Amino acid sequence: MAFDPKPWVEVDGDRIRCDGAAVGFAPVVLDGFEITWGRDDYMAHSRPGTVAFSIVDRTRTWADRISARTVLGRRVTIGWSADGVADQVCFRGRVTAATARPTDRPGQWVIAFTAAGRDADLGNILAAPETWPRETMIVRANRIADMAAPAEIDEFYFFPGSVNIQCWPLDVGGRDLRRLTEEFYYSMGDTFSYIPDQNVCRHLFRRAYAVGVYFTHIAGDAIYLFPSSTQYDGVTYHGIALPGAQTTTDDPALSAGPNSVVTRCEVTWKDNTAGFNDWTTVVEIPSGDANGRRTLTFDSWIDDGVHIDPMIAAVLARAEHEGASPRHPPVTLDTRYTGGGFLSVAQARALTLAGETQAAAYVSGSQFAAWTPAHHPVFAIIGGTIGHVDGRWRITCRLSTIWRTNAVTPMRWNQLVSWMWWQRPDDFKLARSITWNDFRYFDDPTVYNPA
């Protein structure tokens, strides 16, 4: 049965209705909203999310607010609700622009809003003229969190294994907090994402980890392929399905570009054992410059080569796999074609989060995976758009290959449970999106219930 949560929009703490029946006596969100979020490349930092939506108003509520200058900078929160489950927040930010236009109906105006995510405020917070002393990563994280108070972001989480690593003294005078936050996470060889639902920034720690693929039975529908969940820093990120038969792509092309196929990494840092002199550590792929040099350079606050060396080696290993893999085109799921909703609560939460996590997504029935079978169709969702228009959800996901290490032995039909069929009238059948090619990738023939 499809899971179809209902969206809501709040501006300055007031919840605005999303149904047209109320247009005569209250402001109403007109024709939905669209959130844009994420990043374009696997080693880029995410951009602050943005949202656009419009309100139709016959009550002069927004005329009074605009006149009173109580619109720009006001908090915007967007989320959804459903019976029996906790609400999810898809966006937190502030109004950056509002444009009001009259309609052809007397007294009725449409106000178009844009808003930017809370992490956009980090760029407007400047550090005091001071030098942070030599200190641990956890102390640096707490400094960043304290500075971020005007942005109202609660915490800045990072890899627990880096908590006690030492950082060299850093002159931060006049620098903006967005750039300092990017440097903080890049110091550990990774990027970060703001998570609106939790109101925190989290480390996108990407290393080699196994992702299994298994059957999930959606009651009243069919059996789909889902990737396994991922546990990281005390949080479980449920795997989700992107069924090929229920998704589309606007640009059906695999792509590979030299900007992502890194052959050499260089990290600049200060060595505490040599008076904090500048050092540059370099690693490159075994073939070196034989096919051209493409270099990734960045700075790290870490002040000890013992920690620098494994970190940069892991960055290059990611580049060899994630960066060098052909890029799957963005995938769009429209609930108009899914029976009116999402396959599960976990799928709804992952696809409407507007923040990147360690969760994996499996694209079944992908002709792009069939054409390049060595690359498993298991991906991280690194960006895209989240829209709700005409009573339906429309989600576009920008995908990046996940670094997989576990080999999979292709399943045979006689390994499956005997009462499952490819297609038959009842719902204990394989979904239309599953193809013979998908049997290359799943490694557990047991059928489970969804998260």
Side-chain angles (χ1 to χ4, degrees):
M1 182 176 294
F3 176 72
D4 187 22
K6 304 306 178 186
W8 45 260
V9 176
E10 290 182 354
V11 179
D12 208 17
D14 294 332
R15 186 161 294 194
I16 302 171
R17 299 182 61 158
C18 296
D19 61 284
V23 72
F25 57 87
V28 171
V29 175
L30 177 68
D31 202 28
F33 56 81
E34 182 171 89
I35 302 167
T36 301
W37 69 279
R39 54 191 177 135
D40 297 320
D41 183 74
Y42 79 105
M43 279 303 287
H45 286 296
S46 62
R47 298 180 299 275
T50 61
V51 66
F53 61 96
S54 295
I55 292 173
V56 60
D57 185 14
R58 297 181 190 171
T59 65
R60 292 194 55 82
T61 298
W62 286 97
D64 295 339
R65 289 191 175 187
I66 290 173
S67 298
R69 293 176 292 183
T70 58
V71 177
L72 296 183
R74 300 303 162 128
R75 298 178 184 87
V76 173
T77 308
I78 296 175
W80 54 254
S81 301
D83 293 339
V85 300
D87 283 11
Q88 169 145 312
V89 174
C90 310
F91 180 88
R92 296 181 199 265
R94 295 184 184 275
V95 176
T96 56
T99 303
R101 290 186 173 87
T103 70
D104 57 2
R105 301 192 63 173
Q108 177 172 292
W109 288 63
V110 172
I111 304 94
F113 292 88
T114 58
R118 286 190 178 180
D119 49 326
D121 284 353
L122 299 178
N124 296 311
I125 300 173
L126 301 182
E130 63 178 346
T131 297
W132 292 347
R134 185 178 188 240
E135 56 198 359
T136 61
M137 281 285 187
I138 187 62
V139 174
R140 289 277 167 95
N142 289 333
R143 288 185 186 275
I144 289 171
D146 290 343
M147 284 181 62
E152 301 179 342
I153 297 175
D154 291 338
E155 299 289 349
F156 290 76
Y157 292 107
F158 64 103
F159 177 53
S162 298
V163 166
N164 294 316
I165 293 177
Q166 293 284 343
C167 304
W168 42 267
L170 180 68
D171 182 359
V172 298
R175 302 183 64 190
D176 72 79
L177 186 55
R178 174 75 193 191
R179 181 58 182 165
L180 289 173
T181 303
E182 291 176 352
E183 288 184 6
F184 171 71
Y185 286 101
Y186 233 169
S187 293
M188 294 168 279
D190 295 283
T191 55
F192 78 99
S193 181
Y194 171 65
I195 311 297
D197 187 57
Q198 303 167 4
N199 192 35
V200 300
C201 288
R202 287 194 176 273
H203 187 173
L204 296 175
F205 184 78
R206 298 259 188 241
R207 297 296 184 268
Y209 58 90
V211 179
V213 179
Y214 60 89
F215 285 131
T216 294
H217 177 224
I218 307 298
D221 187 356
I223 297 170
Y224 294 82
L225 282 175
F226 275 61
S228 58
S229 298
T230 303
Q231 282 74 41
Y232 171 71
D233 196 16
V235 181
T236 297
Y237 299 101
H238 294 291
I240 63 166
L242 286 170
Q246 297 179 356
T247 57
T248 59
T249 181
D250 293 334
D251 183 16
L254 287 174
S255 62
N259 61 322
S260 61
V261 185
V262 174
T263 63
R264 178 185 176 96
C265 291
E266 300 180 2
V267 57
T268 301
W269 54 288
K270 296 182 185 293
D271 190 347
N272 79 86
T273 65
F276 296 108
N277 289 332
D278 289 339
W279 287 86
T280 298
T281 299
V282 177
V283 292
E284 61 181 10
I285 64 175
S287 60
D289 300 333
N291 298 306
R293 176 180 293 187
R294 292 171 293 278
T295 305
L296 173 66
T297 62
F298 62 98
D299 296 333
S300 177
W301 293 351
I302 297 174
D303 69 2
D304 191 328
V306 171
H307 299 293
I308 288 286
D309 291 346
M311 178 271 290
I312 193 171
V315 171
L316 182 63
R318 279 189 62 201
E320 287 187 88
H321 187 85
E322 292 185 44
S325 298
R327 183 173 299 175
H328 197 286
V331 169
T332 297
L333 183 143
D334 190 325
T335 59
R336 175 173 51 178
Y337 306 118
T338 65
F342 299 98
L343 289 176
S344 66
V345 175
Q347 187 196 42
R349 292 197 185 281
L351 292 182
T352 63
L353 186 61
E356 187 177 347
T357 71
Q358 270 71 20
Y362 183 86
V363 181
S364 59
S366 170
Q367 62 179 315
F368 307 99
W371 196 62
T372 57
H375 298 282
H376 293 200
V378 178
F379 304 96
I381 300 174
I382 65 172
T385 61
I386 299 167
H388 192 273
V389 181
D390 293 333
R392 70 181 192 274
W393 293 92
R394 190 175 191 275
I395 317 291
T396 296
C397 302
R398 193 176 304 117
L399 305 174
S400 180
T401 298
I402 285 181
W403 179 4
R404 287 173 54 92
T405 58
N406 54 316
V408 174
T409 301
M411 288 287 173
R412 297 180 181 275
W413 189 256
N414 61 5
Q415 293 176 272
L416 307 183
V417 290
S418 60
W419 58 90
M420 182 169 59
W421 296 71
W422 200 282
Q423 286 286 316
R424 72 180 192 183
D426 65 25
D427 70 342
F428 208 75
K429 60 188 176 186
L430 293 175
R432 289 189 301 116
S433 63
I434 297 177
T435 67
W436 281 115
N437 187 66
D438 290 304
F439 277 60
R440 295 175 182 266
Y441 309 118
F442 76 93
D443 49 16
D444 182 352
T446 308
V447 180
Y448 299 94
N449 291 322

